[in-house]
């Protein structure tokens, strides 16, 4: 009898021990993301004030990571969409440029915020006449599912340099928030060239050296007909946007700093978008192998940008770099003056 009682007692202790270990592991997992499990404030003011809907807890917004993925894949019914109060909203903010400035990195990093939902692909609605002719409902249906309290953000870098785009976006929403991420103009132009060069090499095609494209061989001056150079004259493009939107609706992101110190730049964007501060250093970790920061959504899910990001630039004649920087300098000064943000460019 005594032996049976001892066996029964051991079994009970084993069960209780397993429960204790399981609870401990659960608590450890929860501690890893405490800073992302606070109640979230309503998204206010510049997007039309506090929402009337009941405040959505941050935990519910985090649940969207898996839930919305299923909707995007088409694995859910209309009834399920309605049940979860999900909608496809027009963007309340757009990353309009600049190409090779870090638009993809910025979008992915902002998506760390539980109140932000990103459009995964570049829609090219406002810069593509064929797409634009399909109408605003076509555009809205290209947006991801989201909760009404969240904001949708899309990015299409070609918007910044395409003449028709400012007026078209203004007609959709005259109070929309516009994000422009820029890098040092010469570095950006070389990065632009590098991407095109890689595409040519993939197709076994030859391509001119950067120096031959950036410098006019007849005048030995900077070739402003070269698109990579024109795109880096930021002030020329911004002036066209200012005919439709006040400067207060733009936020300039330092793309060079986003590479080395992403958190301060992201905190500035949170403030600009009137989002409660939720992105922390926990969400960003430096990957020494890749050479740039990767994203940590929670204790389970991490993400690095595609391998095509951070390409190695070809060597460029130092005299050409000096000539380009001298050419861009007055445009940069005007850009600082207009935007009110001075960047550490040579």
């Amino acid at each position: 009898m005594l032996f049976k009682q001892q066996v029964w007692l051991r079994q009970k202790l084993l069960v209780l021990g397993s429960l204790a270990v399981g609870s401990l592991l659960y608590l450890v997992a929860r501690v890893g993301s405490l800073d992302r499990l606070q109640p979230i404030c309503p998204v206010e003011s510049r997007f039309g004030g506090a929402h009337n809907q009941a405040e959505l807890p941050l935990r519910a917004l985090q649940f969207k990571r898996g839930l919305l993925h299923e909707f995007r894949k088409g694995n859910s019914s209309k009834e399920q969409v309605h049940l979860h109060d999900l909608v496809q909203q027009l963007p309340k903010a757009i990353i309009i440029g600049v190409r090779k400035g870090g638009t993809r990195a910025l979008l992915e990093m902002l998506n760390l915020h539980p109140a932000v939902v990103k459009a995964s692909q570049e829609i090219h609605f406002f810069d593509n006449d064929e797409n634009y002719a399909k109408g605003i409902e076509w555009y809205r249906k290209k947006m991801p599912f989201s909760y009404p309290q969240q904001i949708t953000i899309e990015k299409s870098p070609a918007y910044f340099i395409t003449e028709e785009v400012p007026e078209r976006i203004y007609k959709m929403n005259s109070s929309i928030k516009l994000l422009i991420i820029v890098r040092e103009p010469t570095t950006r132009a070389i990065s632009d060239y590098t991407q095109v060069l890689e595409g040519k090499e993939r197709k076994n095609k030859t391509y001119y050296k950067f120096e031959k494209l950036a410098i006019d061989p007849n005048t030995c001056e900077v070739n402003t007909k070269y698109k990579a150079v024109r795109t880096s004259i930021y002030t020329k493009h911004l002036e066209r946007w200012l005919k439709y939107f006040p400067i207060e609706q733009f936020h300039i992101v330092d793309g060079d700093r986003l590479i080395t110190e992403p958190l301060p730049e992201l905190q500035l964007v949170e403030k600009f978008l009137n989002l409660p501060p939720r992105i922390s250093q926990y969400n960003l970790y430096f990957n020494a192998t890749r050479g740039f920061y990767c994203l940590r959504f929670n204790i389970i899910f991490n993400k690095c940008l595609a391998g095509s990001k951070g390409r190695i630039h070809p060597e460029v004649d130092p005299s050409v770099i000096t000539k380009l920087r001298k050419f861009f300098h007055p445009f940069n000064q005007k850009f600082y003056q207009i935007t009110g943000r001075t960047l550490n460019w040579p």
Side-chain angles (χ1 to χ4, degrees), residues 28 61 81 129 140 156 179-180 234 247 258 278 282 343:
V28 169
L61 291 181
V81 171
D129 292 340
R140 187 179 64 80
S156 292
L179 295 163
I180 307 173
Y234 304 136
I247 194 64
L258 191 73
R278 288 294 180 268
Y282 167 79
L343 302 166

Side-chain angles (χ1 to χ4, degrees), residues 40 65 109-116 270 275-276 278-279:
I40 191 166
R65 300 295 177 191
M109 289 178 178
L110 288 178
N111 195 49
L112 288 164
H113 199 292
V116 170
E270 283 180 322
L275 293 172
R278 288 294 180 268
I279 302 174

